[in-house]
Amino acid sequence: MNSLQGLSNLSYSMTKEEYKLLEKDDLELMKEIIEDDDMEFELSNLTRFLQDNNNYGFIAKENNKIIGFIYGYSLLKPNGKYMFYVHSVGVLPYYQGKGIGKELFKYMVEYLENEKKSYKYFLLTAEDNIIAQKLYRKHSNKECLQVYFEKNF
């Protein structure tokens, strides 16, 4: 088995929580965390998400309940290199402020570094989300101030 095959089984626990990649067996447990992130839970969408090798989900579990979730995408640049976009980081309200997000983010960074597919990760957060910014600064080596625009279709 090569080192990347072993990564899919990589999980660790600092306390009673388990931090790991989202797997097919975890999908049914995603309902509460998905709805807490103001998204509609649809099992078929999650299944499709996992089928794409450039999509990643990282979870924190406690007592067979998903209490934290990070998802993102490996994006291929024209130069042939991948970078990882962290789209969403969330922890259920009851578990916030207990280090779950910190450990989950640490697990994600370790996984991505070991996988060696992406040469960097990036994310966006709200200017007033000071708690998240503090977490991201601990795991980043560059802070970029940017202006964000979007248009819904």
Side-chain angles (χ1 to χ4, degrees):
M1 171 168 52
N2 68 38
S3 60
L4 288 181
Q5 289 172 321
L7 283 176
S8 64
N9 296 324
L10 174 68
S11 68
Y12 71 91
S13 177
M14 295 295 290
T15 57
K16 58 189 173 197
E17 299 88 28
E18 176 186 19
Y19 302 90
K20 63 189 256 328
L21 274 178
L22 176 65
E23 297 171 334
K24 190 175 181 177
D25 293 345
D26 301 310
L27 295 181
E28 299 265 350
L29 302 174
M30 290 291 296
K31 183 173 176 48
E32 185 175 1
I33 196 91
I34 291 288
E35 290 175 349
D36 184 67
D37 201 29
D38 291 329
M39 293 186 289
E40 186 177 320
F41 176 79
E42 181 63 51
L43 191 57
S44 63
N45 290 339
L46 283 173
T47 301
R48 271 196 1 246
F49 176 84
L50 271 188
Q51 289 171 343
D52 186 326
N53 291 332
N54 289 319
N55 297 342
Y56 292 76
F58 302 92
I59 58 173
K61 282 175 76 172
E62 180 182 81
N63 298 324
N64 208 35
K65 176 179 181 168
I66 296 176
I67 59 174
F69 181 48
I70 297 175
Y71 73 94
Y73 319 95
S74 283
L75 305 172
L76 181 61
K77 294 177 63 175
N79 65 2
K81 293 182 178 181
Y82 282 92
M83 59 185 179
F84 189 79
Y85 169 56
V86 179
H87 186 81
S88 184
V89 178
V91 175
L92 291 176
Y94 175 80
Y95 297 91
Q96 292 175 4
K98 299 179 181 182
I100 305 297
K102 175 183 169 186
E103 290 301 321
L104 183 56
F105 205 84
K106 181 177 159 184
Y107 173 78
M108 180 205 70
V109 170
E110 180 181 303
Y111 182 91
L112 293 171
E113 286 176 345
N114 288 327
E115 184 189 42
K116 298 184 184 340
K117 178 177 177 179
S118 300
Y119 75 97
K120 72 176 181 178
Y121 77 84
F122 70 101
L123 55 85
L124 305 169
T125 191
E127 187 176 4
D128 62 350
N129 194 347
I130 304 304
I131 293 172
Q133 290 177 30
K134 184 178 173 184
L135 170 67
Y136 304 150
R137 277 188 191 101
K138 287 181 183 179
H139 294 283
S140 302
N141 57 10
K142 184 177 180 183
E143 183 173 342
C144 305
L145 300 177
Q146 298 182 3
V147 179
Y148 170 78
F149 300 91
E150 74 175 28
K151 180 178 179 169
N152 292 333
F153 297 109

